[in-house]
Amino acid sequence: MTQAEDAVPPSVKSASNRDIARVFTDIATLLQARGDTIFKTRAYSRAADTIDNLQFELADAADDEDRLRAIPGFGDAIVSKVQELVRTGRLEFFEKLKAEMPAGILELTQVPGIGPKTAMRAAEGLGIHSREQLAASIESGQFEQLPRMGKKAAQNILRHLNTRMSQGERIAIGTALPEAERVMAALQAACPGIRNLTYAGSLRRHRETIGDVDMLCSADDPGAVMDAFSSLTAVRNIMAKGETKSMVVLDSGLQVDLRVVPDAAFAATLLYFTGSKEHGIRLRDRAINRGLSLNEYGATDTATGKTETFTSEEQIYQRLGLPYIPPELREDSGELAAAERGELPQLITLADVRGDLHSHTDWTDGRAYIEDMANAAKDAGFEYLAVTDHSKSATVANGLSVERLAEHNEAVRVLDNKLDGIHLLTGTEMDILIDGKMDYPDDALAELDIVLGSIHSYMDQDRATMTARIITAMQNENLDIIAHLTTRLIGKRAPVELDFDAICKAAVETGTVLEINASTQRLDLKDLHIRRAMDLGVIFSIGTDSHRMHQFVDARYGVGMARRGWCTPQRVINTLSHADFLRFVSTPKSGRYAFMDRYEHQS
DNA sequence: GCCGTTTTCGGCCCGACTGTTTTCAGTCG
């Protein structure tokens, strides 16, 4: 459990789950193109989905055959292929399959509207092996001659080719969520008869990136909703427009799908389109065992053929003998078993977060005065705010010298006395130096209410060195929180290499807190880290890392990650009241985990 | 290829939309 998400896959010996999942997805595509049975293809594609949601790295379990066999959908063939991939970094079966198929099948199927069958016919019949050849063939009018193809279908594919989504990019949730909210507001205004308008899909599950936005609503006149939706000013392309479902691409490149259903079907449809796909499949399996067929409209009794409808998702789960499972947990990663045992966590909510422990001002690289940031934090609903400007080694960020730090503290204290409705804490986001040492002397750190430590330099250290560096830093009594542990920037910078379990163990031993950084660029720790750290007993803070006044609302993204990591409010220090928080930081580090334990038992 | 308190063989989640077809294949989610 380390990094790897955005890193270029190395040639051998470290196939990440994502690498392995991609190979299986590709195998499924090629088998389907070749005409193999759909059930065989589905076995590979289900295995890929399962791997994507796995809570541990297959590379760490490749020698443990029992553990692999215990994974649903893993039989002889899948297990041995996983082992081969982990051990050698390649898969003979896959290489042979690719070699015997026409080139370009995998690239072509990335284009919306082109599936395995069409890709195969294009490659074999027309010698099309790339995106460029496909575009040229459509423009020449040749492509539409293919069986089951035509002028209109071909032109649609060409439009897809020219949109951002055809590149297979996913959009950060920090971009997708506000955009979805704008679309919903515009649609509601244009079509007042709409009820229950909401987003579903990976956005509702709060994944860190979103492929496209699924929306749904109920209304008496679906046609009017479809018209209003496709006429929104933000719409660039209409990809599909039916009686109850339309798909559009916005000017921003974001694809939005909207479905309209009757009120009676709304809950079932919401459940269905919130996913994840795997969670939905498990629910439908469960329904079948109870003599029900679960679909977008309700549950049909397989014996009588009568369809039962529901007014809420809660009711549907109840009908299946389960408590309500929040969307963030619906990843088929143990939530159904936990629900059955009555052991679902009471997830943290945005309302639980009472303070923000990470912010910057114009003293370093922030863009607003301390006072303005404090008022913005208050407006965002926080009771307290730690002002944590950068330390002296962060020269590009105009880091504070020891002298300026003292002035900074004074300025924060003066404002704290002056302002009503928000408490200010003195602090720093201090660089952890190359060898794990602090960037300020201990006596300067001891003056502060709160000290965050961050890696901002020498990010390419090897795993062992980086791990030791961070653990060394955690051993300092003054360092309260490790901020954005892996330093990744989503889609831009790979995470540092580190031994995450060792870091968590050290955090527990030293009484150090790990930050869940809510900045939309970071989301660091991410969901899988948080889930693992929860299991290892770690306590967290949630920080917005705000540099501008409007960024305090980003706390919701941190809460979303935390919820995906099964995190409870009792494990997050800034759910404490201001008074309790002061007690927390005045407790020696060795007593802080126990402090939160007591808090957990009280509430 | 996987899987089994109905099964070790015979099943495998469900439905909308599109564009092509005279009833449906392909794609998508």
Side-chain angles (χ1 to χ4, degrees), chain A residues 225-267:
Chain A
V225 177
M226 293 289 99
D227 288 342
F229 179 61
S230 55
S231 309
L232 292 176
T233 52
V235 170
R236 183 211 293 165
N237 277 337
I238 301 168
M239 309 304 248
K241 186 180 169 193
E243 287 172 26
T244 62
K245 177 191 164 185
S246 293
M247 299 162 58
V248 303
V249 174
L250 306 182
D251 288 329
S252 62
L254 187 65
Q255 182 180 322
V256 183
D257 300 356
L258 175 69
R259 289 174 178 78
V260 188
V261 298
D263 286 322
F266 182 79

Side-chain angles (χ1 to χ4, degrees), chain A residues 30-41 93 97 117:
Chain A
L30 291 174
L31 291 179
Q32 209 177 340
R34 196 171 72 174
D36 275 50
T37 154
I38 186 68
F39 301 111
K40 191 165 161 182
T41 13
F93 172 80
L97 188 59
K117 303 285 187 190

Side-chain angles (χ1 to χ4, degrees), chain A residues 158-197:
Chain A
L158 187 58
R159 265 194 321 195
H160 284 291
L161 261 177
N162 293 329
T163 67
R164 175 173 169 181
M165 294 315 295
S166 70
Q167 310 305 312
E169 285 177 26
R170 291 180 67 86
I171 294 176
I173 189 170
T175 305
L177 180 53
E179 184 129 24
E181 288 169 340
R182 281 193 291 274
V183 166
M184 289 194 298
L187 184 58
Q188 188 76 61
C191 204
I194 288 183
R195 294 182 297 275
N196 298 319
L197 178 60

Side-chain angles (χ1 to χ4, degrees), chain A residues 250-526:
Chain A
L250 306 182
D251 288 329
S252 62
L254 187 65
Q255 182 180 322
V256 183
D257 300 356
L258 175 69
R259 289 174 178 78
V260 188
V261 298
D263 286 322
F266 182 79
T269 312
L270 179 61
L271 178 67
Y272 192 90
F273 285 106
T274 295
S276 66
K277 196 168 69 181
E278 290 297 305
H279 180 86
I281 287 171
R282 299 263 177 259
L283 286 184
R284 287 190 286 281
D285 279 350
R286 197 179 169 89
I288 288 168
N289 290 334
R290 284 156 194 261
L292 295 170
S293 167
L294 194 61
N295 57 40
E296 306 159 51
Y297 299 106
T300 307
D301 189 307
T302 37
T304 67
K306 281 180 80 175
T307 295
E308 186 180 346
T309 61
F310 303 94
T311 57
S312 68
E313 287 185 325
E314 283 85 344
Q315 258 188 12
I316 303 174
Y317 282 106
Q318 193 179 25
R319 184 69 178 80
L320 299 176
L322 293 169
Y324 177 71
I325 300 178
E328 294 89 340
L329 302 188
R330 300 180 196 169
E331 296 291 352
D332 190 29
S333 61
E335 71 277 11
L336 287 169
E340 198 143 28
R341 295 194 306 268
E343 291 174 4
L344 284 176
Q346 195 63 46
L347 297 180
I348 187 169
T349 66
L350 185 58
D352 292 322
V353 180
R354 301 171 74 165
D356 187 0
L357 300 179
H358 191 160
S359 71
H360 298 271
T361 73
D362 68 337
W363 281 67
T364 58
D365 62 347
R367 299 303 175 91
Y369 301 135
I370 299 175
E371 182 165 3
D372 289 341
M373 291 297 278
N375 282 320
K378 181 173 78 174
D379 291 344
F382 292 117
E383 295 169 26
Y384 52 97
L385 172 69
V387 186
T388 54
D389 276 305
H390 288 285
S391 65
K392 66 180 192 315
S393 288
T395 48
V396 285
N398 192 25
L400 303 177
S401 64
V402 176
E403 295 73 26
R404 287 186 70 220
L405 177 64
E407 295 166 23
H408 184 261
N409 293 344
E410 183 57 22
V412 170
R413 291 202 186 94
V414 166
L415 273 171
D416 182 36
N417 285 327
K418 178 182 149 189
L419 295 176
D420 286 330
I422 182 117
H423 300 285
L424 297 184
L425 303 170
T426 60
T428 179
E429 184 193 5
M430 178 200 64
D431 277 27
I432 294 171
L433 303 182
I434 187 168
D435 52 0
K437 294 222 169 64
M438 306 289 104
D439 196 24
Y440 287 127
D442 282 337
D443 57 351
L445 293 176
E447 289 292 307
L448 301 169
D449 293 325
I450 189 132
V451 174
L452 313 185
S454 300
I455 300 293
H456 283 134
S457 58
Y458 305 102
M459 298 182 203
D460 53 357
Q461 287 176 325
D462 66 53
R463 178 176 155 114
T465 309
M466 180 61 80
T467 304
R469 175 184 179 185
I470 294 168
I471 291 175
T472 300
M474 288 197 289
Q475 285 161 349
N476 187 296
E477 174 63 23
N478 293 306
L479 191 150
D480 302 303
I481 298 172
I482 300 288
H484 53 66
L485 175 69
T486 77
T487 80
R488 70 142 178 194
L489 295 177
I490 295 174
K492 286 186 190 151
R493 184 168 71 205
V496 298
E497 303 245 5
L498 46 77
D499 180 341
F500 187 70
D501 279 16
I503 299 277
C504 289
K505 256 180 68 188
V508 175
E509 281 166 14
T510 60
T512 308
V513 173
L514 297 187
E515 179 190 67
I516 297 168
N517 189 290
S519 159
T520 57
Q521 303 300 306
R522 294 188 183 272
L523 300 179
D524 180 11
L525 308 172
K526 65 176 192 173

